Each structure stands twice: as C-alpha cells, then as structure tokens.
Amino acid sequence: MYEFVTGPLAWLSFMIFFIGVIVRIVLYIKGLDWQLDRVAYMEYKSYGFKGAVRSILYWLLPFGTRGWRYYPFFTTIFFVFHISLIATPVFLQAHNILLQERFGFSFITISECTADILTIALLAAAVFLVLRRIALPEVRILTTWYDYLVLAIAAAPFITGYFAAHEIGNYKFWLILHILSGELMLVAIPFTKLSHFALFFMSRAQLGMDYGIKRGGMKSKGMAW
Amino acid sequence: MAQGKYCNREKINTLEQLQSLLSDTNGKQYYKEMEDLDVDTELLANTIQKTLKQKSRIKTWLEICAHCGMCAESCFLYLANDNDPEQVPSYKIQSTLGEIVKKKGQVSTEFLIKCMDTAWSKCTCCNRCGQYCPLGIDMGIMFGYLRGLLFNQGFVPWEMKIGSGMHRIFRAQMDVTTEDWVDTCEWMADEYSEDWPGLEIPVDKENADILYTVNAREPKHYPEDLAEAAILFHIAGENWTVPSEGWEETSLAMFAGDWEACKLQVESVYDAMKRLNPKRMVVTECGHAYRATVIEGPYWAGLKSGQTPIPSFHYVEWVAEALRTGKLKIDPAKKIKEPVTYQDSCNYIRNAGLADCAREIMSYIAEDFREMTPNREHNFCCGGGGGFNGMGRYRKQRNAGLKVKRDQILATGCKLVISPCHNCWDAIRDLEEVYEIGIRWSFLKPLLIDMVIVPDHLKPQDEEDE
C-alpha cells in the first residue's frame, strides 16, 4: 500500500497537479479577449505589467491593501492559514529528505517544532474560518457545502500529518491517509475552487491590467489598492 | 413565444415604436406584460456559451469566488440597507448571473424579473467591490454583462428601454435633433452676447483646438450650461467648436446593456472627430458620458488601441489645465470661503483616474476644502449611478441608497457640494429633497464664472464706461 501511494499514485497526482495548473493558466490567458473584456492588453504592455504587478504585490502583502486593513482579524487568520498551508509542506524536514533521496535536491527546512506550530496554527485558522462562515450573516449567505468541502480538503493533510508525525494511534494508518489526502488536494487544485492557487495571480493580474491600462492607470499613479 | 405589445425582445429602432412605448405611462402595461414574457432560453444559452463560457475572465470569477464576504462593506447599497446580506455583491451576482450560467440559460420568466430587479436596483456598476476583492473579482463588470443578457431578453426597465431607443433613433439620450441642437447653440450665443461681447458657439468649425461635447440634458433642459461652457472657453481664449452631429456624449444604452446602441452612439462622436479634425475633445461635466465615450467606447467601436480617435478629456481636466496655465485666473477675493466638499464620480475617478485634477481645481478655488471619507478612488457611489436616478420602478430603493452619501456629506460639515457629474448632481439634489439636510450643490461652470477675472477687453462696453 505504502509503495503504491508513494509510487504510481504520487506520480499521477503530481502530474495531474502540474499539468492541470498549467492548463488552467494557459486557458485563462487564451480566454482573455481585449474587446469583450474591454482592455487593450497588447497595446500598452508596460502599463499593463505595472498594473498587474502592483495589484498582485499589494494583495500578497498582509495589510497591504485597504481591503486587508478593513478586516484586521480576518486578514490575520487568512494569512496564517495560507502561509502555513504553503510553507509547512514545502519546508518540512521529512518531505525534503524524501526529495533529496528521490531527486537529489531539497529546499531549506524548518524545525519539527516550527512545523508543529504552523500546523496547529493552520488548523486553528481553519476552525475560525468555519466559525466565521457560520457567525457572520454576510458570509453565511454566500456559504455552501462546497466551501466546507474545499476547506476540509485543504486541512486534511495537516490533521493526518500531525497524527502521523506524533505517532498518535496507528502510525502506518495515519501516514497512508496523510499521503492520500495530500494527493487528493493536489488533484483537486486544478478542478475545484482550489484552482485559485494559480488563478489568484491570473485574475489579480487581469484586474491590475484593467486599472493600469484603462481605468486611469495611464492618467494617474494607478489604482490605490 | 409570447411577447407583449410593449414588453418584448424587439429593439426600438423607429419613432413609432418609441412613441408607442412612451404612451404607456410609467410602463404600467409594460411591466404587466413582462410577467408573461417568455425567456428565449436557446438565445440565452447561446450567448452565454459564446461570450462567457469560452472566455476566461467572468467564468473564472464565478468559479473561484471564495465566498469570503470581503466585498460586503465595500458596497454602499449593503451599508445603506442596514447590512442586508442579500445586498452582498458576491451574493447578488451569484444568485443571478451565477444561476443563469449554472442552469445553462434554462431559467424562468419570474427568475429573469428577479435578475432585472437585482441588476438595476441593487448595483450601480460603480466597481467599488472589485477594489476590495482579494481575488480581483469585479462584480460591477459582471452586472454590466448581466444587464446585456437581460436587455437581449426584453427584461429591462421601461425607462432604460426608452433610453436606449432614444440613442438608436436620435443618437442622444433625449429627443434632441440636430436642428434642435444647432438652434440651441445659436440661441444661447445670442442670449448671452450682450453680457459677453463676441461670445460664440461655433458649430462644425474644422481644425479647432477643442471639440466640445455635452450631455443631451443640457440643450434639452438647462441650455445655460452650454452658455456657461462657451463663456469660460471665451474667457480662456480657446479655439473651440461643437459638432452639429455627434455632440452627445452620454449613453443610456450603456446603462441598459444595449451594446449595439452603445456602438452606434459612440461612432457618431468619433465620426465628428474625423470630420472636423480637432486637436482634442473636451467632455462636459458628466461622469457616465466620459466613461461611455472615452473609456469604454473605443472597445464598442472596435478600436484596438482602446483610445478615442483623438485625445479626449473630461471637463475637470480642462479646468485644471486652464487654472494651471493661467488661461483662467481666479479672483482671490471671490474664492469659496465657506467649507466645501467635492463629490468624486465613480465614472471618471475610480474608472478613469482623475482624482488629482479635482483636487488641483479645489486648491485654486476653495479656501476651506474638506474631503469626504472615504474619497478619491475609494469614494462611494452617490447613489444615483448606473441609471438608478431614472427608473420609477426603483425609486424607493434609490432613495434608500442615497443615505451613505448623505452621511458622508454631513460628516464634512459642508453645506456646499461641488459635483461635476450629472448623475451625482441629481442624486445629491434628490437626497436634499428626501432627507432635507440643508445643503447646496453645484457644477463647476457657474462657480467658476463667478470667480474668474474677466480681462477688460472681454467686458461689455458700457460697463467699462461706468
């Protein structure tokens, strides 16, 4: 079982993830239409580029935009969630040992204690995100079962990983579940709302270009996000 | 398929059709017929397929919205309606356009009426929500798209259908013909020439420095606005002209989602540019007119550059330039002394980046200029944008929507609001009428005329003799 999930299944899910994400990005760019979107993308590339970079950078920065500053509590939860979600698996020692063994390279690593803290922070943030969905009428009205499912898909590798790492219960069981849930997340990214992993950059860049080229970017300093 | 006498999918292309629709007072019969208007589901499905499903932007937006609710408080209608969750921008678009897409156009008449009510009474396409979405989703753009779908199906407010019909027939939002327009220009030049010797409103002068274009309401209802523009150009010594055709900048067709009429309208202005070969165009104090003809228009007309055939400027740009270069000089004694605030129009500030010009003007003309909060690109819609001012069916909702602007103005402590945009001007006038907070409002032109130093040679002869 372990050989299967870390072997063919891992290859398959990584392939689906990488190809899927690339396809989504390519389709997005191909689907842009200067006349329908009413943005002269190709005519003013430098204004477009400036607008796009500005729009992405400001929103990647915690409290970098008025929107983020308006909701300080949510913003904190949001960044804790997303930073942990990406940093933990990429810089985890165990993952990097695997990388080194199989592919001969690895990233810098974080200590196990840091990984634990990030994992717990992520799970706590996930709980807050769920509570927020239930508590706030303006979020409740938007929420569907699908939002919870997507959140569960994102949180599952962390719960199972934590149990496996600390050998709570049956190590082998949690390990396999951890690998499976990680693979599920990878596969889900191109096909679900999790595609915002890549499409965030596309959509932000597009709106940034819209403001940079058309909505005043050529007549002012550009949109103050 | 059932279509009504007044309410149907046909476009208004003849005077008879227009008059017939106008004869149905307040659209009473029109809305009654709408309840039985069939949805052309095939047309709807095809349009979505062609324009939305294959194109990435709106499709992606509908898909990746994280349902986080960060757009809620960016919407003035959400705030004005006591944080009603049904006014959350994301909810408004997901429950209308989102459903149409999900159901591949297989929706009912009743549903499209609900969509119409949402598209025209719960969104003014001010685009503020797009600024507050972490994923860069602009609900205003999607509502524009939805309005287009609804227009094609005949589910459009009565006044909007009339408005787009006016553009189709008269190339103006009102029934102002070329003759009416030229007559008004002559009449105004005549009327004011005693006070302003040599005052002219030149029509169809070729190779002028400025081609001046207006909002049809000006010749129709307040022609003095045209005279004021002429006086200021006269004082500034501008070489200017107005076109006999292609003088109308506004686009109720844009509010209606009638993209075909939008194209017809802007092309009439672009034709005037080509015909008269002016150096640049200056647009009157109107926000949506500027957005329609200068910002969106080139795309409707298929101009790949995204630019009008000649450079185009909003009135605030011209005023700022005239004050900066000294073409217009303000008499310091006549500057506005009382506290005064400025209404940032979504259409030329958020959607065209002209916030700085406005501030520059205020620095010349006001001693105690006070900003609203928030302001500039983050300002709230006045409550009258997107056609909201003009639809009887949604008067109640429009009046409720004015509250945010009312409170913004009250917080400045100012009694005077400068508003170089027709829709904002109307909304502020109406909010005073509804809420009686004791304010006044003004375009720039009349204020400037009271403040500028008139060179001696432009003054009437007898005044000099006194």
Side-chain angles (χ1 to χ4, degrees):
Chain A
M1 188 65 180
Y2 179 78
E3 279 67 38
F4 178 69
V5 295
T6 55
L9 209 56
W11 278 104
L12 188 68
S13 46
F14 270 105
M15 226 165 66
I16 294 174
F17 166 73
F18 280 117
I19 295 174
V21 163
I22 291 168
V23 167
R24 294 293 314 240
I25 291 172
V26 169
L27 283 180
Y28 187 91
I29 296 170
K30 267 186 70 178
L32 290 176
D33 180 317
W34 71 273
Q35 199 165 6
L36 201 67
D37 300 345
R38 304 207 290 269
V39 184
Y41 298 116
M42 299 308 287
E43 294 288 317
Y44 307 98
K45 292 196 196 78
S46 71
Y47 284 102
F49 181 76
K50 233 170 66 187
V53 167
R54 194 186 168 89
S55 154
I56 291 172
L57 281 185
Y58 275 71
W59 281 95
L60 279 181
L61 213 66
F63 301 97
T65 63
R66 288 212 189 189
W68 287 139
R69 290 195 288 274
Y70 195 84
Y71 297 100
F73 180 70
F74 173 66
T75 301
T76 308
I77 301 291
F78 175 93
F79 277 97
V80 165
F81 183 82
H82 281 87
I83 290 171
S84 310
L85 190 74
I86 292 165
T88 317
V90 173
F91 302 122
L92 192 77
Q93 274 176 0
H95 287 179
N96 279 281
I97 292 169
L98 275 175
L99 268 182
Q100 188 68 48
E101 278 174 3
R102 290 207 179 178
F103 302 104
F105 79 96
S106 62
F107 301 109
I108 51 159
T109 55
I110 49 174
S111 70
E112 271 173 38
C113 173
T114 313
D116 277 351
I117 292 171
L118 287 177
T119 302
I120 290 165
L122 174 129
L123 294 173
V127 170
F128 272 116
L129 289 177
V130 169
L131 292 177
R132 181 176 176 274
R133 286 206 177 278
I134 298 166
L136 302 182
E138 72 270 27
V139 192
R140 194 162 60 227
I141 196 169
L142 295 167
T143 301
T144 64
W145 62 269
Y146 182 44
D147 295 306
Y148 292 119
L149 176 71
V150 166
L151 194 60
I153 291 175
F158 290 83
I159 300 174
T160 51
Y162 189 83
F163 277 46
H166 293 270
E167 303 194 17
I168 302 168
N170 184 332
Y171 168 71
K172 203 80 193 182
F173 170 79
W174 287 118
L175 182 67
I176 289 179
L177 215 55
H178 170 65
I179 297 165
L180 280 173
S181 58
E183 290 166 350
L184 175 69
M185 179 156 88
L186 286 175
V187 172
I189 286 174
F191 300 105
T192 64
K193 213 168 264 220
L194 292 171
S195 56
H196 74 259
F197 169 76
L199 295 178
F200 159 83
F201 294 94
M202 299 289 103
S203 173
R204 273 249 70 88
Q206 191 281 328
L207 196 66
M209 283 163 83
D210 192 339
Y211 275 104
I213 294 168
K214 187 176 91 167
R215 298 193 229 172
M218 290 165 69
K219 280 199 174 176
S220 66
K221 282 177 285 196
M223 175 54 65
W225 298 104
Chain B
M1 270 194 223
Q3 294 210 54
K5 178 180 171 208
Y6 301 113
C7 186
N8 50 50
R9 277 187 291 280
E10 265 172 61
K11 314 289 184 283
I12 305 290
N13 282 317
T14 67
L15 202 52
E16 293 70 42
Q17 285 173 307
L18 184 66
Q19 279 163 344
S20 156
L21 196 57
L22 280 164
S23 71
D24 174 28
T25 317
N26 297 327
K28 237 173 132 185
Q29 185 66 26
Y30 178 87
Y31 289 118
K32 208 180 277 167
E33 287 175 6
M34 191 180 282
E35 289 166 20
D36 297 316
L37 178 64
D38 282 335
V39 181
D40 187 340
T41 51
E42 201 181 322
L43 174 70
L44 194 53
N46 283 343
T47 317
I48 295 170
Q49 187 62 31
K50 221 166 49 205
T51 55
L52 191 147
K53 289 294 255 185
Q54 292 168 2
K55 300 297 171 195
S56 44
R57 188 172 59 156
I58 294 180
K59 185 179 148 198
T60 306
W61 282 349
L62 286 172
E63 189 186 339
I64 65 173
C65 170
H67 296 163
C68 70
M70 267 179 77
C71 54
E73 299 199 19
S74 72
C75 179
F76 78 100
L77 283 163
Y78 172 81
L79 299 173
N81 288 289
D82 305 320
N83 300 356
D84 176 2
E86 294 202 356
Q87 289 278 3
V88 175
S90 170
Y91 176 78
K92 289 186 271 197
I93 201 68
Q94 301 273 350
S95 63
T96 52
L97 181 61
E99 287 295 307
I100 295 176
V101 173
K102 223 185 274 170
K103 293 183 174 145
K104 299 192 168 71
Q106 303 301 313
V107 291
S108 66
T109 298
E110 203 189 348
F111 183 77
L112 284 197
I113 293 176
K114 183 197 134 181
C115 289
M116 175 185 81
D117 289 339
T118 307
W120 275 280
S121 82
K122 292 184 172 181
C123 178
T124 60
C125 302
C126 78
N127 300 102
R128 195 171 187 270
C129 51
Q131 255 178 290
Y132 288 81
C133 171
L135 290 166
I137 300 171
D138 194 329
M139 270 65 70
I141 286 183
M142 290 200 267
F143 267 110
Y145 178 76
L146 176 63
R147 285 182 180 198
L149 292 180
L150 293 167
F151 180 85
N152 263 333
Q153 294 286 334
F155 291 89
V156 52
W158 179 73
E159 292 88 347
M160 292 291 111
K161 180 126 185 183
I162 291 169
S164 83
M166 290 282 188
H167 284 289
R168 285 167 174 270
I169 296 163
F170 297 102
R171 297 289 184 276
Q173 64 159 304
M174 289 171 176
D175 56 350
V176 183
T177 63
T178 304
E179 206 181 14
D180 296 338
W181 162 246
V182 173
D183 280 355
T184 308
C185 292
E186 285 167 6
W187 167 44
M188 278 299 114
D190 250 18
E191 184 86 11
Y192 284 81
S193 62
E194 207 169 300
D195 293 335
W196 300 94
L199 184 74
E200 270 188 296
I201 301 183
V203 180
D204 280 343
K205 186 159 94 180
E206 287 181 18
N207 310 316
D209 291 337
I210 290 174
L211 178 76
Y212 181 62
T213 50
V214 304
N215 176 327
R217 283 163 35 135
E218 294 166 10
K220 180 85 177 178
H221 294 303
Y222 7 86
E224 62 276 12
D225 192 289
L226 181 59
E228 287 161 358
I231 292 165
L232 288 164
F233 283 144
H234 183 60
I235 297 172
E238 294 284 14
N239 170 18
W240 68 293
T241 187
V242 294
S244 57
E245 280 177 35
W247 50 272
E248 159 73 308
E249 281 290 318
T250 72
S251 186
L252 291 188
M254 173 171 79
F255 291 159
D258 181 359
W259 310 126
E260 198 185 357
C262 286
K263 179 171 162 34
L264 295 172
Q265 178 60 49
V266 296
E267 282 181 342
S268 75
V269 181
Y270 299 168
D271 284 347
M273 292 177 175
K274 288 172 201 153
R275 194 174 70 243
L276 301 174
N277 191 37
K279 288 201 180 65
R280 57 177 176 160
M281 175 171 79
V282 173
V283 182
T284 189
E285 295 175 68
C286 188
H288 97 270
Y290 182 82
R291 182 164 167 190
T293 308
V294 180
I295 304 294
E296 313 283 4
Y299 298 96
W300 295 324
L303 302 178
K304 263 198 130 150
S305 64
Q307 300 286 318
T308 49
I310 57 165
S312 300
F313 298 82
H314 189 272
Y315 202 73
V316 295
E317 291 182 277
W318 178 77
V319 172
E321 177 203 282
L323 291 169
R324 192 186 313 135
T325 56
K327 280 183 195 169
L328 291 179
K329 288 193 188 74
I330 300 295
D331 181 347
K334 291 180 180 165
K335 278 174 105 173
I336 303 169
K337 304 275 187 295
E338 65 173 308
V340 56
T341 188
Y342 184 92
Q343 162 58 13
D344 285 311
S345 152
C346 304
N347 284 327
Y348 68 78
I349 296 209
R350 183 170 13 262
N351 287 291
L354 301 184
D356 285 338
C357 303
R359 270 72 203 168
E360 192 183 349
I361 296 169
M362 297 311 288
S363 76
Y364 287 106
I365 66 171
E367 285 184 359
D368 185 4
F369 168 54
R370 298 183 187 179
E371 291 276 16
M372 290 186 205
T373 314
N375 53 50
R376 301 173 64 103
E377 291 89 350
H378 291 274
N379 196 25
F380 286 112
C381 170
C382 58
F388 217 174
N389 278 337
M391 297 175 289
R393 184 179 169 97
Y394 307 127
R395 183 49 44 144
K396 220 177 92 202
Q397 291 90 323
R398 201 288 307 257
N399 287 349
L402 299 171
K403 281 188 245 167
V404 172
K405 188 54 58 187
R406 174 198 66 188
D407 295 344
Q408 266 190 300
I409 295 172
L410 278 174
T412 64
C414 300
K415 293 292 171 200
L416 177 62
V417 186
I418 299 182
S419 166
C421 168
H422 275 271
N423 273 316
C424 300
W425 190 95
D426 277 7
I428 293 165
R429 175 199 61 200
D430 289 355
L431 84 81
E432 172 58 25
E433 201 178 292
V434 179
Y435 298 107
E436 297 179 16
I437 58 172
I439 53 164
R440 289 166 288 115
W441 52 96
S442 179
F443 286 114
L444 280 168
K445 293 178 200 114
L447 293 173
L448 287 168
I449 288 182
D450 284 346
M451 278 185 267
V452 289
I453 299 170
V454 181
D456 285 338
H457 70 280
L458 295 180
K459 287 178 182 161
Q461 208 56 49
D462 53 314
E463 198 178 303
E464 274 177 26
D465 295 340
E466 274 169 20

